Amino acid sequence: MSRSAVVLRFGRPNSDGWPVCAGSGREIVDQAMRSAVNRVELAELSDADEETSSPEEGRVPVWLTQVPYALVLSALAAGIVIVAAAYFKRGPAIIAGALLLAAAFRAFLPHDWVGMLAVRRRWVDLVTLITMAVLLIVLAWVAPQLSS
């Protein structure tokens, strides 16, 4: 326990039913005033920091960070629609292309621009996306062509 800490020891109750504190009331009031002043000073410091740094400086609009994600999702949706139309060679190839597009966005775009494509660390995202794309390309190559 630090030296400046006030220790309250409760004794027997007063005649009005409240316990008597061994620490003086003046110490408690002084400690409360110091903590209130510290909170006010911290609030003033945080307000001053916000005024000096402009939040718009160098930031990308939120909607623009989601454009790469929207492109990848639209390519994935197109691949799923093509698979649903019974084209089992073209569909996975398009989905693999969408995954490779996501990997390219994740590899070359800065962190502020990738939006929701940044899920884990960059290298984990890249390894996962490229591995899944390669597996889908192999699946598209091996899958038999259904002829009608």
Side-chain angles (χ1 to χ4, degrees):
M1 193 169 15
S2 68
R3 230 171 212 233
S4 62
V6 176
V7 178
L8 299 177
R9 293 190 190 106
F10 294 100
R12 297 193 330 191
N14 256 352
S15 60
D16 56 350
W18 292 97
V20 179
C21 293
S24 71
R26 185 111 172 110
E27 292 174 2
I28 295 171
V29 171
D30 287 343
Q31 184 181 5
M33 290 297 289
R34 280 193 304 271
S35 66
V37 168
N38 287 340
R39 275 182 272 164
V40 169
E41 288 174 353
L42 286 174
E44 289 172 356
L45 285 175
S46 65
D47 290 342
D49 290 343
E50 290 173 2
E51 292 170 1
T52 57
S53 64
S54 173
E56 297 300 319
E57 203 172 285
R59 299 272 325 247
V60 178
V62 174
W63 66 270
L64 194 57
T65 62
Q66 300 309 323
V67 169
Y69 184 68
L71 290 173
V72 170
L73 274 182
S74 62
L76 283 172
I80 290 171
V81 166
I82 291 175
V83 168
Y87 292 102
F88 296 111
K89 283 193 169 281
R90 293 183 198 151
I94 292 174
I95 294 172
L99 291 173
L100 288 175
L101 179 67
F105 283 150
R106 187 69 176 108
F108 298 116
L109 288 178
H111 181 71
D112 293 343
W113 280 76
V114 291
M116 288 194 295
L117 287 176
V119 178
R120 296 161 293 270
R121 293 183 181 186
R122 184 175 295 210
W123 68 271
V124 175
D125 284 341
L126 287 174
V127 167
T128 304
L129 289 168
I130 292 172
T131 302
M132 290 180 67
V134 167
L135 290 175
L136 278 172
I137 289 171
V138 168
L139 174 70
W141 183 45
V142 172
Q145 179 66 38
L146 297 178
S147 56
S148 12

